[in-house]
Amino acid sequence: MNFSGNLGPSPRSLDVDDLATFDSLVRAGSSDLEGWHAQSLDLRGRSAVLEQVNVEGAIFLGCTFDDGTEDTLRRRGALIFPRLESVPFNPYRGSLYSPAELYAGLADAPYEQLPDARIYQWSIQPGQRHRLDATLASALHDHAVGDALEEAIHSGPFAARSVVGVMGGHAAQRGSADYTQAARLGRLLARNGHVVATGGGPGAMEAANLGAYLSDADDGGLHAALAGLASVPGFRPSVSAWARAAAAVVERFPGGTPSLGIPTWFYGHEPPNYFATHIAKYFANAIREAILLELCQGGIIFLPGAAGTVQEIFQDACENYYGAREKITPMVLVGRHHWEHQYPAWPMLRSLAEGRPMAERIFLVDTVDEAVAVLQG
């Protein structure tokens, strides 16, 4: 639940996304629902309660009511956004996704039949991006996910903790040295008290979320997980096999350390990884990228990658270039040869930073241990 203002008789901008909160507020004497945003609540059986309160100015998004109640609420001044039954997702959701939700049915069905894949297929139907109902549904969804992400960061499981981003390519295969190093990085960051945030996809992103997830496990547990995952190196040719191998690790090590994944259906060929416990998945990739960078106030570590990682480096660099000194966050590039020669982002980044406050916050290192030490220093 997010809100601003006082919790008096008529709170303003009050998001109510679970029945327990709705009931407790009403019992506490809230008789004026003006400014309430009720999301995805099953309010059947509460018609008598709704008749006793002022609903003018209240907004109900995707809620369910007893027969006849919806029309009554509209006549009394409430604004009601109906449930959108034609879309394969809840545009008014009040929480982040979990891997189990996006991969619901994984044990018995192929990935192509699971919620994540069905939502992607919906999003790429011909003309879908230009249809008003589809545009409205996806925009409402992304707003709801953003709201849930803000709550998780400020008052939920990640509150009062430094968020560090780990960016890197999806090409790092399980069983490779790059994958193992990314897992070590996530583990080290989590053990040093940071929240690990990634783009939520496969490769280095999955590895970093894995390392964070198993940060409380002993070294043998991490090694066993890495060895088991190596039997299915990548999500091609079978996302199903790839995801099931990850789900087996989570089943073996339940209750791991929470971390964030922020993927997008824009890149639908890249499935979300199973080790980010909290997933903020967006339709709009530009929004997703901006939010991911904004969240990482503890800095961003850039592992070896290609076009996508290079884009993220300079998107972050642009914000640091123009940002006020107190808003500049550390940028740590890992892999001297990669970033100086193979994809020479470092020389350009150093040139951009020269003479500006950000020059003191950019680093080029060779190992993930050095990267974590830079942030701790």
Side-chain angles (χ1 to χ4, degrees):
M1 179 186 71
N2 297 324
F3 60 88
S4 58
N6 299 320
L7 264 180
S10 179
R12 297 296 184 265
S13 299
L14 176 61
D15 293 349
V16 183
D17 50 27
D18 62 82
L19 279 175
T21 299
F22 178 89
D23 290 339
S24 65
L25 287 170
V26 172
R27 283 196 302 268
S30 296
S31 59
D32 187 347
L33 274 56
E34 181 185 357
W36 284 36
H37 302 158
Q39 294 181 213
S40 298
L41 302 184
D42 186 348
L43 294 170
R44 289 174 294 185
R46 288 170 172 77
S47 296
V49 171
L50 291 169
E51 289 175 2
Q52 296 170 9
V53 296
N54 174 35
V55 296
E56 185 173 1
I59 300 176
F60 296 89
L61 303 107
C63 296
T64 307
F65 305 96
D66 292 325
D67 291 344
T69 299
E70 190 172 323
D71 290 338
T72 301
L73 292 173
R74 282 198 176 95
R75 287 196 299 270
R76 294 171 57 204
L79 181 62
I80 299 178
F81 286 77
R83 297 179 68 88
L84 301 176
E85 304 293 349
S86 62
V87 301
F89 56 90
N90 179 8
Y92 313 114
R93 61 180 301 113
S95 62
L96 298 178
Y97 288 99
S98 68
E101 182 179 1
L102 291 174
Y103 285 101
L106 177 64
D108 304 309
Y111 170 73
E112 291 73 19
Q113 297 177 14
L114 307 187
D116 185 67
R118 288 191 287 106
I119 295 171
Y120 173 62
Q121 290 301 321
W122 172 88
S123 74
I124 62 171
Q125 290 176 10
Q128 192 78 299
R129 298 185 189 277
H130 303 290
R131 289 178 48 188
L132 180 59
D133 58 343
T135 301
L136 178 62
S138 57
L140 287 169
H141 170 276
D142 284 4
H143 172 80
V145 167
D147 188 52
L149 180 57
E150 183 177 357
E151 182 174 354
I153 292 294
H154 294 294
S155 59
F158 306 117
R161 295 173 61 195
S162 167
V163 179
V164 173
V166 177
M167 310 297 179
H170 68 264
Q173 296 279 287
R174 294 168 173 174
S176 68
D178 285 346
Y179 189 94
T180 299
Q181 287 306 300
R184 286 193 64 249
L185 173 60
R187 182 176 171 88
L188 288 169
L189 288 171
R191 285 188 164 185
N192 279 278
H194 300 290
V195 175
V196 173
T198 77
M205 295 172 282
E206 180 191 52
N209 286 126
L210 165 66
Y213 183 82
L214 293 179
S215 59
D216 288 336
D218 58 25
D219 290 346
L222 178 61
H223 293 156
L226 289 169
L229 291 170
S231 64
V232 187
F235 64 92
R236 294 187 178 98
S238 172
V239 176
S240 304
W242 176 82
R244 285 170 185 151
V249 171
V250 171
E251 184 176 358
R252 180 178 177 183
F253 299 95
T257 300
S259 69
L260 273 170
I262 307 182
T264 173
W265 279 291
F266 183 80
Y267 296 132
H269 62 286
E270 291 187 10
N273 78 68
Y274 214 93
F275 299 114
T277 59
H278 295 69
I279 300 174
K281 191 156 189 177
Y282 289 86
F283 288 100
N285 184 50
I287 294 175
R288 164 254 191 178
E289 288 179 338
I291 288 175
L292 179 54
L293 292 176
E294 181 183 346
L295 284 179
C296 299
Q297 295 304 306
I300 298 178
I301 297 174
F302 298 92
L303 297 171
T309 310
V310 171
Q311 177 187 347
E312 289 160 346
I313 288 173
F314 288 105
Q315 189 171 348
D316 191 26
C318 186
E319 294 188 7
N320 283 333
Y321 184 90
Y322 290 109
R325 182 182 291 272
E326 62 273 13
K327 295 291 186 180
I328 297 172
T329 56
M331 301 177 64
V332 187
L333 279 61
V334 179
R336 290 181 183 276
H337 181 269
H338 186 89
W339 295 120
E340 286 186 316
H341 302 287
Q342 188 170 353
Y343 292 96
W346 175 253
M348 185 177 292
L349 180 61
R350 188 174 54 189
S351 296
L352 278 173
E354 187 174 356
R356 304 188 71 86
M358 68 178 286
E360 302 173 359
R361 309 303 301 277
I362 64 170
F363 306 91
L364 177 65
V365 300
D366 266 326
T367 69
V368 298
D369 298 85
E370 292 175 285
V372 175
V374 163
L375 294 183
Q376 295 302 109

